[in-house]
Every structure is written in structure tokens, then in C-alpha cells.
Amino acid sequence: MDAGSHSISSEKSRAAAAASRPPLQEAGCRPYMPSLSTGSRNPSTKCYGDRFIPDRSAMDMDMAHYLLTEPRKDKENAAAASPSKEAYRRLLAEKLLNNRTRILAFRNKPPEPENVLAADMASSYHAKPAKQRRHIPQSAERTLDAPELVDDYYLNLLDWGSNNVLSIALGDTVYLWDASNGSTSELVTVDEDTGPITSVSWAPDGRHIAVGLNSSDVQLWDTSSNRLLRTLRGVHEARVGSLAWNNSILTTGGMDGKIVNNDVRIRNHVVQTYEGHSQEVCGLKWSGSGQQLASGGNDNLLHIWDVSMASSMQSAGHNQWLHRLEDHTAAVKALAWCPFQSNLLATGGGGSDRCIKFWNTHTGACLNSVDTGSQVCALLWNKNERELLSSHGFTQNQLTLWKYPSMVKMAELTGHTSRVLFMAQSPDGCTVASAAADETLRFWNVFGSPEAPKPAAKASHTGMFNSFNHIR
């Protein structure tokens, strides 16, 4: 088990002290980054002659004399020479002169390479230029205050929507930070008897958001009008700490160990239930195809659920898991599906486990396991390169960038002074936001710059919430 769930009451006692700190305000300025371009010149560069002035030091004077006088001798002796002798003479001249016909030399030959390896490297460099290594800034691009952020490993309080708006739950309030202009707005503040807020998750359209509560309810909000659309009640018997969207299906995971699929378009929203965890469900992630669901719990279990098994294995609304994986020795919260291999899943274990594991979700095989040395709180794949980012707790509270599949460390980003509980990725996949128990929200340009900006798709999910006006 990982410490965290007992901290809700202590967080409420700190609310008064934190009230003087406005949320999501700059806690520091952007660090100065020196230019990476260099324009140095090499003063020792040598010049090897001139294009139009002959260079006597490079000329073979004997050879030049021979080439000047030989044609005249050929004409004088042409009548006396037999055809066989003439052929022999020409062959001998060709071998000795090596087809040299130029008399004047205008520049020296370039110096020979010191060794064959240098020559090979030079030729390969000109044939195929090497890819420049991406610069990874070691400090946060921006830091914002996040007072009253609940220090609880099992919650999920940060998400970045497709419309480039970041949501974060601070105590009983959900705040929205628009990354395009840096503006902050308050979405909702819940009552103390229903709070604090235990999870937030943007719908695929980037306009609607689900909010999980400590009271076991789940609220659905329209952020464009700040309007509460509906409240899902009676789904769970305890707090809802994890949320995941699959088109119009909102999957919720609770402290009661249940996982529920809710179709937000219909009145009777509960459509499927997954039962496999005996303790709190702290991690939920749908695969990119929407065919498989990964769930992690405080019981150290990882489950893979497959949509194709819903019809064949379903009994009284309950689904059977595809794989039940017991390799982790601590709570499994960090889950990340690979963007370039659909059946590859990365998972991270808590303080007693400290490992990142990779799974083939078709077979259930563990492909690799890496001991990171500290609690794994969150995982994110780079959408443009084969890289994985992990955030950690004790003792360094760092973000670590790994090269996949070698799992060589590319960078370690430090700055947080307490465990980095949550991470979220910008829509373009380049910037990562991290929220830690030190009550700061930091932005890292860890995944580089996009090759070309891609506008967020809006039309594909617009019809999801059309029926909310008719729900009572």
C-alpha cells in the first residue's frame, strides 16, 4: 500500500493557510536559456592553391618536358616505326604515364586522411547527415502555485483536454487554466460534505468534463457554459478516484473496487460492470483503439479487460477479465498505452515495488521490468519519439525520461520538492504538466517541438452530449 488516503482531513485543515495564495498564479519566471547556435570559425583552415595561377611546387617538370617534346618525336619517327612497335610504345606510355595529359598544375591535392576510419566516417557523414540530438531543458518552463492540492497517491486530479485547457482539482474546487492565453477560471466548488474532489477527466471533445467526488457521486459539466449537465449517483459506494473516457462511455473506478461503464447519453447510464479488484481502483486507461481497458488497484493487481469478451462472457452485467497480472508488489496507479504499438502497455508500481513493467496485452506476457529506485506515480509516452516519461516520489521527486526499448535514462528533471503525483500531456504532445505535493504545477518542454501544428478536432465528438437537455 502507498501512503496517501489518510491525508484528506489534514488537507482541509490547511485550507485557511492556503487561502492567501491565489491558485494557478506564476510562482517563478521562465528561466533564461542560452542560444544553442554556434558560429565559430577555424583560423587554422589551409588554402590549397589557386584556381587560375599555376603552382610550380605541384608540377612534375620532367613529365611536363616529356609531354611537350614527345609529339614532335612521334612525327619524326612515324615513318620508321612498325605497327607492332607503335602499339607497344603506346601501351608502355599508357602504363607509365597513367593517362596523365595535363602539363600545368593549378592546385595541390587535398591532404590524405590520417587513416581509413577517418575517411570512412567522412564519406558516411556526407552521404547521410547524422540526426541532431534534441535539447532537453533541465528546468521547468513555467511554475504555477497549486494551493490545497490533496497529497494522495490514489487520486487523479490533473488532466489536459483536447481544446488546450488544463483542469486541476485543488481541495473542493476545480480550476481551468487555458494554455493558449494563460487565463484561469473556476469551474465548480463543491460542498464540504461531498468533497474534496477526487478525480477529473476531460471528454474527447475537450468541452465536457467529468468530476469524481469523495461522496461517490460523479458530475458532468459543460465548461463552455459552466453548467452542470447531470450527476451520476448510486454507481459506487465510496469515493471515485479514477475516470477514463471511451467515446461516449465514461468508465469510473472507486474505492469499493468496482469499475463501471456509464453511457452518458442515456438515462439508465450503467451498462457494464467489471469486478476484479478487492481494494481501491486507482488507475484506469482505455487503449487507443478503445478495445481494451487497463485497470490498476491498491491490491497490487493489474487487469486487462477486452470489449470483445463483453458479449460472450458477460453474466448479469459483469465482465470477466482477459488477463489478471500479479507481478507488481505495490499499488498500480501509473498506466500508459503505447501510441506506436497498440498492444504495448507500460505500468508503474508504488513505493514497495518501484518498477516500470511492459506488457503484451494480447498474450499477458511481461516483456521487461526496470527498477527505478523510487515510487512510480505517473507515466506518459512521447507521441513523436520512442520515449517514456515517468514521475516519482521519494527520494528525488524527479521526472525521468527513458529511451525505449533500451530504457536508458535520457534526462532527469528536478525542481519539485515533494512526490510528483500527477502528470498530463498537452494536445500537441510536446509539453508535460506535473503537479506535486509541494503544491506547485510545473510545465516541462520535455518532448520537443511539434513538426507542424495540428488543430484540435472538434466535429468528431460534438454529438455526444446532445441529449442532456432531455435528461431529468
Side-chain angles (χ1 to χ4, degrees):
M1 296 179 61
D2 289 83
S5 58
H6 65 279
S7 60
I8 290 181
S9 58
S10 62
E11 291 294 331
K12 289 187 176 181
S13 65
R14 292 157 49 192
S20 58
R21 295 169 56 201
L24 306 185
Q25 298 299 312
E26 289 283 353
C29 60
R30 180 179 298 188
Y32 168 73
M33 296 301 299
S35 173
L36 299 179
S37 61
T38 57
S40 60
R41 294 185 177 180
N42 186 4
S44 62
T45 302
K46 297 180 179 180
C47 179
Y48 299 100
D50 189 270
R51 291 178 58 193
F52 305 109
I53 302 176
D55 188 353
R56 292 181 62 87
S57 62
M59 293 172 57
D60 188 338
M61 303 305 294
D62 292 335
M63 179 62 66
H65 179 266
Y66 171 81
L67 292 174
L68 288 172
T69 60
E70 184 64 16
R72 180 166 52 84
K73 292 180 179 179
D74 290 346
K75 292 180 180 178
E76 294 174 355
N77 301 326
S82 64
S84 60
K85 289 184 179 181
E86 178 66 20
Y88 173 75
R89 186 194 63 77
R90 290 184 180 180
L91 180 62
L92 182 63
E94 180 180 346
K95 294 296 182 181
L96 293 177
L97 300 179
N98 197 20
N99 293 324
R100 292 169 60 184
T101 59
R102 300 188 63 177
I103 298 175
L104 300 179
F106 291 92
R107 63 190 315 172
N108 287 329
K109 293 182 179 180
E112 295 292 335
E114 294 181 2
N115 52 54
V116 177
L117 178 60
D120 291 342
M121 291 179 62
S123 62
S124 62
Y125 173 79
H126 291 294
K128 187 178 181 180
K131 184 178 180 181
Q132 291 186 348
R133 187 174 180 179
R134 187 179 79 252
H135 173 68
I136 303 173
Q138 299 296 300
S139 56
E141 187 179 18
R142 173 178 287 182
T143 302
L144 304 180
D145 282 321
E148 296 186 71
L149 181 72
V150 178
D151 181 9
D152 194 325
Y153 177 81
Y154 305 104
L155 306 185
N156 293 273
L157 304 179
L158 182 70
D159 197 19
W160 205 326
S162 60
N163 277 359
N164 207 20
V165 177
L166 184 138
S167 62
I168 184 170
L170 303 178
D172 297 328
T173 304
V174 174
Y175 291 95
L176 304 179
W177 184 80
D178 192 330
S180 61
N181 55 27
S183 61
T184 303
S185 60
E186 178 182 324
L187 177 65
V188 57
T189 298
V190 299
D191 299 332
E192 288 188 4
D193 55 347
T194 59
I197 293 163
T198 52
S199 55
V200 293
S201 181
W202 284 100
D205 62 1
R207 172 184 172 185
H208 300 89
I209 190 170
V211 179
L213 302 176
N214 191 55
S215 64
S216 78
D217 292 343
V218 178
Q219 295 181 350
L220 299 178
W221 286 81
D222 183 346
T223 60
S224 63
S225 59
N226 279 29
R227 184 166 61 99
L228 175 63
L229 300 176
R230 68 184 300 186
T231 301
L232 309 181
R233 294 187 174 90
V235 179
H236 294 277
E237 299 174 3
R239 70 179 187 179
V240 181
S242 53
L243 302 166
W245 287 91
N246 187 7
N247 294 324
S248 58
I249 300 296
L250 173 63
T251 305
T252 59
M255 185 181 272
D256 54 9
K258 289 198 304 182
I259 302 170
V260 180
N261 281 349
N262 303 270
D263 191 334
V264 299
R265 300 168 298 181
I266 59 178
R267 183 187 300 273
N268 299 324
H269 48 83
V270 177
V271 291
Q272 287 171 337
T273 301
Y274 305 94
E275 292 189 358
H277 292 281
S278 59
Q279 296 187 42
E280 181 168 17
V281 179
C282 50
L284 278 179
K285 281 290 189 303
W286 280 99
S287 64
S289 64
Q291 295 300 306
Q292 290 187 328
L293 172 69
S295 66
N298 193 31
D299 52 8
N300 307 345
L301 293 178
L302 169 67
H303 285 99
I304 306 297
W305 314 84
D306 199 285
V307 171
S308 63
M309 300 181 65
S311 58
S312 59
M313 302 295 292
Q314 187 172 359
S315 175
H318 301 277
N319 289 339
Q320 178 68 26
W321 59 76
L322 177 64
H323 299 295
R324 182 186 180 99
L325 307 170
E326 305 177 6
D327 295 39
H328 282 290
T329 59
V332 184
K333 177 197 174 186
L335 307 171
W337 289 92
C338 178
F340 53 83
Q341 186 174 337
S342 60
N343 64 328
L344 177 60
L345 174 71
T347 63
S352 301
D353 181 84
R354 306 180 302 276
C355 289
I356 298 176
K357 297 182 184 295
F358 298 90
W359 308 88
N360 182 332
T361 60
H362 289 171
T363 64
C366 183
L367 305 176
N368 192 15
S369 181
V370 178
D371 189 343
T372 66
S374 58
Q375 179 186 51
V376 183
C377 301
L379 293 170
L380 287 174
W381 287 95
N382 186 342
K383 297 178 181 179
N384 304 313
E385 302 286 345
R386 293 179 179 247
E387 299 168 356
L388 180 70
L389 182 68
S390 58
S391 71
H392 298 271
F394 317 110
T395 56
Q396 288 186 278
N397 308 309
Q398 83 280 14
L399 282 73
T400 303
L401 183 64
W402 309 82
K403 187 68 177 176
Y404 183 84
S406 65
M407 291 305 286
V408 173
K409 288 184 182 179
M410 299 180 64
E412 286 197 336
L413 311 178
T414 57
H416 284 294
T417 57
S418 188
R419 57 182 179 173
V420 188
L421 293 165
F422 319 111
M423 287 197 303
Q425 195 171 10
S426 61
D428 63 11
C430 298
T431 305
V432 170
S434 62
D438 59 9
E439 296 189 340
T440 64
L441 177 65
R442 297 172 188 260
F443 296 85
W444 312 83
N445 187 20
V446 63
F447 288 151
S449 301
E451 295 181 359
K454 297 180 180 179
K458 299 180 181 180
S460 58
H461 304 286
T462 53
M464 188 190 309
F465 293 86
N466 289 347
S467 59
F468 275 155
N469 292 332
H470 308 289
I471 294 178
R472 296 292 181 266

